[in-house]
Amino acid sequence: MVWSMRRLTMLATIGLLVAGAGAAQAGVVVVMSVGGDDSGELERMLDDAVGDRHELRNSDDYTREAKKRGLGSSDPRDIADVARSLDADVVVDAVIRRDDGEYLLKIKLRARDGRVAKTVLVRMKAPKLGPAGKREVAREVQDAIERVLRD
């Protein structure tokens, strides 16, 4: 009986370790406002993508904290200061611009120190995405955030 209890305990412990190893690492992620996106649609899409897997700090949180600290630029040092004060692990810093008849959505994932850890580029025919496009971009951003958190 003692042997079977030990065996059960050992199997349960191994099961928890294996389950924990496969689980996605959640972190605190700040989504800044998307430059060039006057409608706010792309920022909302990024907010939704981040909020599905991580603790979200949105652009209002970022702006409020930046003003409180007297910071207003998109300088990496300023971004790092605000990220640290918000206890963020990753900052999503995106901009959309027109490029050779297309639109280019450039999403920089910044680490806690303000440096660009990963960049996701999305070429679009219009400044808006349909439902399938939003899902694809959300998946790419979620995967990239997971890689940044692991590194």
Side-chain angles (χ1 to χ4, degrees):
M1 182 72 169
V2 173
W3 175 246
S4 57
M5 277 302 254
R6 282 185 186 160
R7 193 178 256 174
L8 261 166
T9 303
M10 187 170 63
L11 287 174
T13 303
I14 290 170
L16 288 173
L17 290 173
V18 169
Q25 183 180 8
V28 177
V29 180
V30 174
V31 175
M32 297 173 62
S33 59
V34 177
D37 176 29
D38 296 334
S39 70
E41 181 179 337
L42 295 172
E43 181 181 346
R44 283 190 297 278
M45 177 208 49
L46 293 170
D47 283 349
D48 292 343
V50 167
D52 286 346
R53 295 187 185 176
H54 305 283
E55 187 176 332
L56 171 67
R57 304 281 191 271
N58 62 25
S59 62
D60 291 339
D61 298 328
Y62 180 88
T63 302
R64 189 177 318 109
E65 187 63 29
K67 283 183 182 177
K68 189 187 313 180
R69 296 169 118 350
L71 305 171
S73 74
S74 57
D75 179 76
R77 289 176 298 212
D78 289 354
I79 291 172
D81 285 345
V82 176
R84 279 191 295 273
S85 67
L86 291 173
D87 199 30
D89 301 304
V90 178
V91 177
V92 178
D93 180 11
V95 65
I96 186 168
R97 63 182 169 87
R98 194 167 173 93
D99 184 37
D100 291 332
E102 292 182 313
Y103 289 87
L104 180 66
L105 176 60
K106 184 176 186 179
I107 305 167
K108 293 185 245 179
L109 301 178
R110 296 183 179 272
R112 189 178 190 91
D113 62 2
R115 70 175 170 76
V116 176
K118 298 268 184 228
T119 301
V120 176
L121 296 174
V122 180
R123 292 202 177 277
M124 306 173 355
K125 297 210 182 291
K128 295 184 178 186
L129 290 168
K134 287 180 183 178
R135 282 191 303 274
E136 179 64 23
V137 171
R139 187 187 56 73
E140 285 186 45
V141 169
Q142 289 168 340
D143 291 348
I145 290 171
E146 295 300 326
R147 287 192 300 274
V148 170
L149 289 172
R150 277 194 313 258
D151 294 343

